[in-house]
Amino acid sequence: MDNMNKSSEGAERIREEALAYLAEQYDDNFTITLLESAGISMDYDRLTVLSDAYPGECFYVNRYVKDGEELFRDNYFTLYMRRDAEQFFSDMAKQVKEGTSVQVKLKLSVRPETMTAQSTFADMVSLHGSTELYIYLYHKEAFSKAEQTAFLEALKEAECSASIIFEQQGSGVQQRYMLNREMKLYQF
């Protein structure tokens, strides 16, 4: 349901412009499911969007208006980049403990201006040293301290800051770390 601050015509125009913006950026089909209008808590309109290429997953398009000019920014890249990142870290994890499952969550609200729609996860790491990134590593056996250290050292070598969670599947027991942009490691 659209926020009541937008007229039906205005909301439809914003939806059409957002879809045109997305069509210019990406080779995919999109469905807008929600339009939230700018207000006290945010100075932009936010559209929640579904993608045919990534069924069941949503992303956001933000519409900013400044001096009468519209600017659209999105985080669609988190859908395809997450798959790149999972492959990147799965390859790294295989070197440490065969059979490790990896899940990655990217917590960015918009694509950084330094990145294009064709940028890869490796591009993001080289440009930014990563960002709000959460790496979950799962294995049927507990990760030894040596295995955790080996993975964390590989992350440092890649100069990739992230929050890292090691978990034995089914146990609920986790070891949590955070590697910041200065490559300083913290354990929680």
Side-chain angles (χ1 to χ4, degrees):
M1 180 168 71
D2 291 333
N3 186 312
M4 299 306 281
N5 293 339
K6 297 282 184 218
S7 69
S8 296
E9 298 84 27
E12 189 56 36
R13 181 186 57 76
I14 291 169
R15 288 172 187 263
E16 289 171 6
E17 290 173 357
L19 288 171
Y21 159 79
L22 290 168
E24 287 177 20
Q25 299 291 314
Y26 309 106
D27 184 25
D28 196 351
N29 295 308
F30 303 100
T31 304
I32 296 173
T33 61
L34 178 68
L35 168 61
E36 300 172 83
S37 297
I40 294 172
S41 64
M42 53 187 195
D43 63 351
Y44 51 87
D45 297 317
R46 170 170 275 178
L47 297 98
T48 303
V49 184
L50 295 175
S51 155
D52 285 357
Y54 301 94
E57 298 182 61
C58 68
F59 68 99
Y60 301 104
V61 175
N62 296 340
R63 176 186 166 267
Y64 303 88
V65 178
K66 186 172 180 178
D67 300 325
E69 295 289 321
E70 285 184 322
L71 171 68
F72 289 94
R73 302 276 310 277
D74 67 86
N75 72 345
Y76 175 79
F77 78 99
T78 61
L79 300 181
Y80 67 81
M81 197 162 287
R82 190 188 73 241
R83 291 187 181 166
D84 275 0
E86 285 175 351
Q87 186 60 54
F88 182 88
F89 294 118
S90 288
D91 292 345
M92 193 180 286
K94 260 190 247 180
Q95 303 301 315
V96 174
K97 189 172 186 104
E98 190 66 42
T100 299
S101 299
V102 175
Q103 181 183 21
V104 173
K105 293 184 182 178
L106 296 163
K107 300 289 188 176
L108 292 172
S109 59
V110 294
R111 184 179 73 222
E113 291 181 10
T114 54
M115 296 176 60
T116 69
Q118 292 73 39
S119 295
T120 65
F121 180 73
D123 295 333
M124 186 173 83
V125 171
S126 69
L127 289 170
H128 301 281
S130 171
T131 52
E132 295 179 43
L133 174 66
Y134 297 83
I135 307 166
Y136 296 83
L137 296 110
Y138 303 98
H139 198 278
K140 61 185 176 186
E141 300 168 0
F143 290 89
S144 70
K145 189 69 173 169
E147 290 164 337
Q148 292 175 38
T149 301
F151 185 83
L152 295 168
E153 287 301 317
L155 272 182
K156 281 184 181 180
E157 281 183 40
E159 296 183 356
C160 183
S161 62
S163 292
I164 307 97
I165 298 94
F166 296 93
E167 183 175 326
Q168 181 179 355
Q169 292 170 327
S171 73
V173 176
Q174 298 180 337
Q175 295 83 36
R176 295 173 168 263
Y177 298 88
M178 199 263 303
L179 185 61
N180 71 13
R181 292 182 189 274
E182 290 78 38
M183 297 295 107
K184 185 162 171 71
L185 184 66
Y186 299 92
Q187 184 173 7
F188 300 99

